């Protein structure tokens, strides 16, 4: 029997006993006052003992309920056994303290709640509704040098995307040393000059144009026929060419992403009076209808390689802009016809030159000008050499000499 049951039984018995005394049914008391005193002492002793026992046991139960793995509440005590009906016992005076029958077990001491552990960081793989991090963009494809320094778009299955039209002034980057021209998308043989009409653009779509036997002319470099003739205001882009007398310009022109791989003479010729008459006839137009004044020529993102002579032959007045040019193993980059009063105003920038056999530029007219920026020869090991009719009009060169055929 638990202490709580014992206390409940004693309280029930004590209440029953008092009722007998009050009704006069209790057995006669031989001891009188002594018996009452003894009964009170026994009751007080028993009460104190039981209260102490209940307090100790209740404290132990409180401690046990707060520990352990289960963490559950203690099971309720069984119902008290019924009190005896008539236990002969002397009557007891009512206690001055609270009746044991009314006493309740002391509540278990309140335990401070255990500190709440910090919530663990959720595993991202278990979160179904969390926003997915933005994927790291893939790096852009490497620049395929030799296509004018442009980075090609995603390569199609058949042919690379043509470079932008030079009229859009697309970005130009300086070519690296030992630049390689991209593989052509196809090869075409040319046996008569291709005429590019005024105001139109010829897009070679990355093909290589090879000079055939029909461009051989008289069999010498000087008598070879041009592969392309551009009427005034025409443009040409996205091609490679090899052999023949290259590209002839009847007036204003734009060349972008154009690559001369090899020639026996010149890659580009700016026509003078004599050339214009011949090339106009080949193009089927009258030389009298050609505009006068210097030609406005732009050459960008282009290259010239493998020629014993000039890359650009200037036979008439010209304002020439060169940007993003690569040249390797050529005689000179641009020259005017020797001893003629031809004025060439040249601006070159963002260009890489290697293995030149002579001067970068050679202009005899005192009126010619040269401006050079961000351009080097052999990685800076060789100065940019210029021969000019008026050395004071050359800017940015590493070395300038007076022309031996100065005119004007």
């Amino acid at each position: 029997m638990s202490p709580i049951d014992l206390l409940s039984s004693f309280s029930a018995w004590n209440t029953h006993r008092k009722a007998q005394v009050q009704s006069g049914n209790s057995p006669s008391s031989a001891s009188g006052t002594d018996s009452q005193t003894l009964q009170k002492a026994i009751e007080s002793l028993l009460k104190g003992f039981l209260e102490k026992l209940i307090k100790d046991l209740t404290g132990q139960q409180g401690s046990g309920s707060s520990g352990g793995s289960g963490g559950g509440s203690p099971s309720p005590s069984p119902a008290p056994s019924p009190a005896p009906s008539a236990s002969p016992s002397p009557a007891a005076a009512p206690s001055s303290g609270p009746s044991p029958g009314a006493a309740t077990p002391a509540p278990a001491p309140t335990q401070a709640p255990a500190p709440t552990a910090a919530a663990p960081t959720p595993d991202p793989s278990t979160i179904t509704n969390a926003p997915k991090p933005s994927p790291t963009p893939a790096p852009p494809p490497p620049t395929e040098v030799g296509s004018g320094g442009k980075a090609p778009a995603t390569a199609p299955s058949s042919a690379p995307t043509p470079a932008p039209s030079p009229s859009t002034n697309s970005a130009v980057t300086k070519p690296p040393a030992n630049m390689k021209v991209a593989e052509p998308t196809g090869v075409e043989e040319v046996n008569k000059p291709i005429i590019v009409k005024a105001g139109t653009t010829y897009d070679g779509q990355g093909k290589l144009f090879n000079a055939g036997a029909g461009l051989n002319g008289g069999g010498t470099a000087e008598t070879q026929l041009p592969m392309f003739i551009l009427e005034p205001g025409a443009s040409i882009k996205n091609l490679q060419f090899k052999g023949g007398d290259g590209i002839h310009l009847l007036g204003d022109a734009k060349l972008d992403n154009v690559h001369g791989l090899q020639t026996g003479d010149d890659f580009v010729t700016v026509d003078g009076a004599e050339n214009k008459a011949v090339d106009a006839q080949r193009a089927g137009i009258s030389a009298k209808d050609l505009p006068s004044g210097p030609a406005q020529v732009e050459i960008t993102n282009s290259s010239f390689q493998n020629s014993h002579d000039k890359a650009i032959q200037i036979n008439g007045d010209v304002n020439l802009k060169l940007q993003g040019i690569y040249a390797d193993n050529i005689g000179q980059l641009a020259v005017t016809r020797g001893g003629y009063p031809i004025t060439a105003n040249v601006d070159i920038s963002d260009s890489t030159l290697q293995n030149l056999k002579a001067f970068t530029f050679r202009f005899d007219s005192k009126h010619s000008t040269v401006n050079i920026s961000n351009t080097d020869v052999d990685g800076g090991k060789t100065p940019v050499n210029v021969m000019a009719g008026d050395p004071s009009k050359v800017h940015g060169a590493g070395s300038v000499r007076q022309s031996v055929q100065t005119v004007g």
Side-chain angles (χ1 to χ4, degrees):
M1 177 181 293
S2 69
I4 296 177
D5 296 338
L6 183 60
L7 181 59
S8 299
S9 298
F10 176 77
S11 176
W13 173 84
N14 187 44
T15 302
H16 179 72
R17 180 62 184 165
K18 287 179 181 180
Q20 288 181 336
V21 172
Q22 291 175 358
S23 63
N25 295 328
S26 64
S28 58
S29 176
S31 57
T33 304
D34 292 338
S35 178
Q36 294 180 0
T37 302
L38 179 60
Q39 174 67 29
K40 183 175 182 180
I42 292 172
E43 179 181 345
S44 178
L45 180 63
L46 182 59
K47 175 183 175 183
F49 171 76
L50 292 176
E51 288 180 344
K52 184 175 185 306
L53 181 60
I54 290 172
K55 182 176 181 181
D56 293 340
L57 292 177
T58 305
Q60 292 177 5
Q61 291 176 352
S63 300
S65 65
S66 63
S69 61
S73 303
S75 302
S77 300
S81 301
S85 58
S87 245
S89 175
S95 173
S96 59
S99 172
T104 57
T110 303
Q111 297 294 324
T116 303
T121 303
D123 184 355
S125 64
T126 64
I127 302 176
T128 58
N129 296 326
K132 296 181 180 180
S134 300
T136 302
T143 299
E144 184 176 33
V145 196
S147 297
K150 297 182 179 66
T154 303
S157 57
S158 57
T161 302
S165 169
S167 61
T168 61
N169 294 323
S170 57
V172 176
T173 58
K174 183 178 180 179
N178 301 314
M179 186 191 83
K180 301 298 181 183
V181 177
E183 289 295 320
T185 60
V187 179
E188 287 192 14
E189 183 176 296
V190 181
N191 285 292
K192 64 178 182 179
I194 298 173
I195 309 302
V196 184
K197 304 304 290 184
T200 66
T201 298
Y202 186 91
D203 189 343
Q205 299 180 344
K207 296 179 182 179
L208 169 61
F209 293 82
N210 274 330
L215 298 183
N216 189 34
T220 66
E222 294 296 333
T223 60
Q224 288 181 343
L225 301 179
M227 188 173 294
F228 295 92
I229 298 175
L230 275 59
E231 294 184 3
S235 298
I236 190 171
K237 64 179 182 179
N238 304 326
L239 59 85
Q240 306 168 21
F241 65 97
K242 185 176 182 181
D245 198 33
I247 303 170
H248 285 198
L249 311 179
L250 284 169
D252 298 351
K254 292 183 179 180
L255 287 68
D256 183 66
N257 197 26
V258 173
H259 304 278
L261 305 184
Q262 182 274 326
T263 183
D265 195 14
D266 310 319
F267 288 108
V268 178
T269 300
V270 179
D271 281 350
E274 295 178 13
N275 304 103
K276 283 182 179 181
V278 176
D279 284 336
Q281 183 179 8
R282 290 169 177 160
I285 59 177
S286 172
K288 296 179 180 179
D289 296 332
L290 299 177
S292 61
Q296 309 297 321
V297 177
E298 293 183 10
I299 304 177
T300 55
N301 303 310
S302 299
S303 66
F304 309 105
Q305 303 182 60
N306 306 313
S307 173
H308 74 278
D309 209 345
K310 301 87 56 185
I312 304 172
Q313 174 68 47
I314 301 174
N315 293 332
D317 293 348
V318 65
N319 295 321
L320 176 62
K321 177 181 179 181
L322 304 172
Q323 188 175 21
I325 303 300
Y326 177 78
D328 182 30
N329 188 32
I330 62 174
Q332 301 173 87
L333 183 58
V335 302
T336 56
R337 186 175 180 181
Y340 280 71
I342 299 169
T343 300
N345 297 305
V346 179
D347 287 278
I348 182 171
S349 62
D350 308 315
S351 298
T352 300
L353 315 176
Q354 297 181 164
N355 303 312
L356 300 183
K357 298 178 176 62
F359 295 95
T360 304
F361 300 110
R362 195 202 73 206
F363 303 141
D364 296 332
S365 171
K366 292 182 179 180
H367 304 292
S368 294
T369 63
V370 180
N371 292 292
I372 303 167
S373 63
N374 194 29
T375 295
D376 58 70
V377 179
D378 300 325
K381 298 177 181 178
T382 302
V384 180
N385 294 319
V386 177
M387 178 178 284
D390 185 350
S392 68
K393 293 181 179 177
V394 177
H395 303 282
S399 173
V400 183
R401 292 179 54 184
Q402 181 73 45
S403 173
V404 294
Q405 291 182 295
T406 298
V407 293

